[in-house]
Amino acid sequence: MGFFQNQLLNVIEWDESKEGVIFWKWPNDEIKKGSKLFIRPGQDAIFLHNGRIEGVFEDDGEYDIETEIIPFLSSLKGFKFGFNSGFRAEVIFINTKELLCKWGTKNAINVPAPGLPGGMPIRAFGTFNCKVMDFAVMLEKLSGTMQTYSVEDVKTRITASLDQLLMSWIGKEGRDMFNLQMDARNIAKGLEEDLDMEMRNIGIGITGFTIESFNYPEEVKKMQEKAAAQSMIGDINKYSQVAMADSIGKGDGGGNGANLAGQMMGVQMGMMMGQQMMNNINMTQGMNQAAPAPQAGAPTGAPAGGGTAPKFCPNCGTATNGAKFCSNCGQQLV
């Protein structure tokens, strides 16, 4: 059993089986004769002896400890392996890749807003990117007490101060508290700069920060939806678009097309009927304005011209037979 255990100790590598790890300390501190070092892409291997950084190896590949590593270690260049003895050293693997992590406010942030004495409670969430910028600072501050350090640990540090920073950037003068999403990019840029400055104290940089969404209380959302609906009243084009979207959202399978077509037809017919009514009203008003008013004292239904009697009385429709007065109603004909 001891033989196989020694064989396993001869391989120094990090397989990154857990995602989001920033650095990982090799769990053994004695390196045996014949050991090999494996460095994968996106990794650096750092050798420490008595708490001091002895050598940093950045190129991925396979290395022989005795011939390719020890000659480059500051205080161990003349070290020679004994028959059964090794040497004591720590090996820490650094993840040099940029890592992505999701974030969210721990509690609702009460942002001062007009008419709200307690402020507007707002939540937010998004993502950030981080990367090792100074491994010496990071190892000095973290590696002495920790076996591993992950992006979740960075997230814990960030969220501890994020609420206050977010409140500060949201509360900048001139921002619309009810439409923060419009200014999310500028707010995120300011947060990225502040958090990057803070995290560089432990050798880690914040290389990106985004705000995906601001979340308002349900009451505020309902007021926004109502205001948006009221602003659309009177615009039939917007109404038809909303009706179409609503039909698609509430449809149940095969009836969607028929329901949608029926609603759209109803909207179009309503528009056509309304337009026809307006045309009829305009036509009637035009005819009334064009007809001349009758002269005072002129008999109702009197013929426009004189001299020749019409064949039928214009008042009651009785045949005139050439008479000057209607035999039925007495209407003057000529």
Side-chain angles (χ1 to χ4, degrees):
M1 185 67 182
F3 173 78
F4 289 105
Q5 185 176 8
N6 289 337
Q7 290 299 312
L8 292 175
L9 293 177
N10 287 341
V11 178
I12 304 171
E13 63 177 338
W14 178 31
D15 60 6
E16 293 191 53
S17 57
K18 185 177 179 181
E19 294 184 357
V21 177
I22 296 176
F23 78 74
W24 176 79
K25 185 182 295 185
W26 188 57
N28 304 290
D29 59 1
E30 184 176 358
I31 299 176
K32 303 291 185 180
K33 183 177 182 179
S35 296
K36 300 287 185 181
L37 170 69
F38 291 91
I39 301 178
R40 290 179 168 82
Q43 296 179 357
D44 286 353
I46 300 175
F47 283 74
L48 293 90
H49 183 64
N50 293 330
R52 289 181 49 193
I53 296 178
E54 293 288 334
V56 180
F57 300 88
E58 301 176 348
D59 296 333
D60 56 282
E62 177 183 345
Y63 298 85
D64 180 83
I65 293 292
E66 186 173 3
T67 60
E68 297 179 275
I69 299 297
I70 290 180
F72 294 95
L73 301 182
S74 303
S75 60
L76 296 173
K77 290 183 178 180
F79 176 82
K80 298 294 182 181
F81 281 103
F83 180 73
N84 288 320
S85 64
F87 72 95
R88 302 185 68 84
E90 291 181 307
V91 183
I92 296 179
F93 288 90
I94 303 293
N95 189 342
T96 61
K97 299 182 289 294
E98 189 176 65
L99 302 175
L100 176 69
C101 183
K102 295 182 178 180
W103 66 268
T105 50
K106 296 175 64 176
N107 304 297
I109 303 171
N110 291 319
V111 180
L116 297 175
M120 170 75 73
I122 296 175
R123 294 180 180 272
F125 65 91
T127 61
F128 70 86
N129 300 81
C130 63
K131 185 178 182 181
V132 176
M133 293 297 182
D134 190 333
F135 64 82
V137 172
M138 185 183 66
L139 295 180
E140 178 186 353
K141 297 292 181 66
L142 302 174
S143 68
T145 58
M146 305 185 71
Q147 183 74 23
T148 183
Y149 195 77
S150 71
V151 72
E152 287 296 322
D153 297 308
V154 175
K155 178 181 175 181
T156 300
R157 280 180 173 261
I158 283 179
T159 52
S161 58
L162 182 60
D163 288 4
Q164 292 298 322
L165 289 174
L166 189 57
M167 183 183 295
S168 173
W169 279 99
I170 289 177
K172 293 289 185 180
E173 184 177 356
R175 286 209 166 96
D176 182 0
M177 294 298 102
F178 297 93
N179 196 14
L180 291 173
Q181 198 64 40
M182 181 177 63
D183 209 18
R185 185 170 184 177
N186 292 330
I187 297 174
K189 189 64 177 177
L191 287 170
E192 178 184 336
E193 293 174 356
D194 287 350
L195 292 171
D196 180 64
M197 185 181 302
E198 180 179 326
M199 294 302 297
R200 282 180 183 266
N201 291 327
I202 59 172
I204 296 174
I206 304 300
T207 56
F209 193 93
T210 62
I211 300 174
E212 294 182 12
S213 179
F214 289 99
N215 289 342
Y216 295 90
E218 286 299 322
E219 294 79 4
V220 175
K221 291 181 180 179
K222 290 178 181 178
M223 290 174 60
Q224 290 175 328
E225 291 172 358
K226 184 176 181 180
Q230 289 177 344
S231 69
M232 293 170 61
I233 294 176
D235 191 332
I236 193 64
N237 291 329
K238 288 185 178 180
Y239 173 78
S240 61
Q241 293 171 4
V242 172
M244 181 186 300
D246 187 61
S247 175
I248 293 173
K250 295 181 179 180
D252 54 352
N256 287 351
N259 293 338
L260 179 57
Q263 289 189 19
M264 291 304 298
M265 183 178 295
V267 172
Q268 292 174 358
M269 289 180 64
M271 293 172 62
M272 293 172 62
M273 290 174 64
Q275 186 64 43
Q276 186 62 41
M277 290 175 64
M278 291 300 299
N279 291 341
N280 291 341
I281 292 172
N282 292 336
M283 184 180 296
T284 302
Q285 291 176 348
M287 292 174 64
N288 291 337
Q289 292 174 0
Q295 296 181 0
T300 304
T308 304
K311 293 181 178 181
F312 298 93
C313 175
N315 187 42
C316 66
T318 304
T320 63
N321 297 321
K324 294 182 179 180
F325 297 91
C326 177
S327 59
N328 182 46
C329 65
Q331 171 71 39
Q332 183 180 354
L333 303 175
V334 293

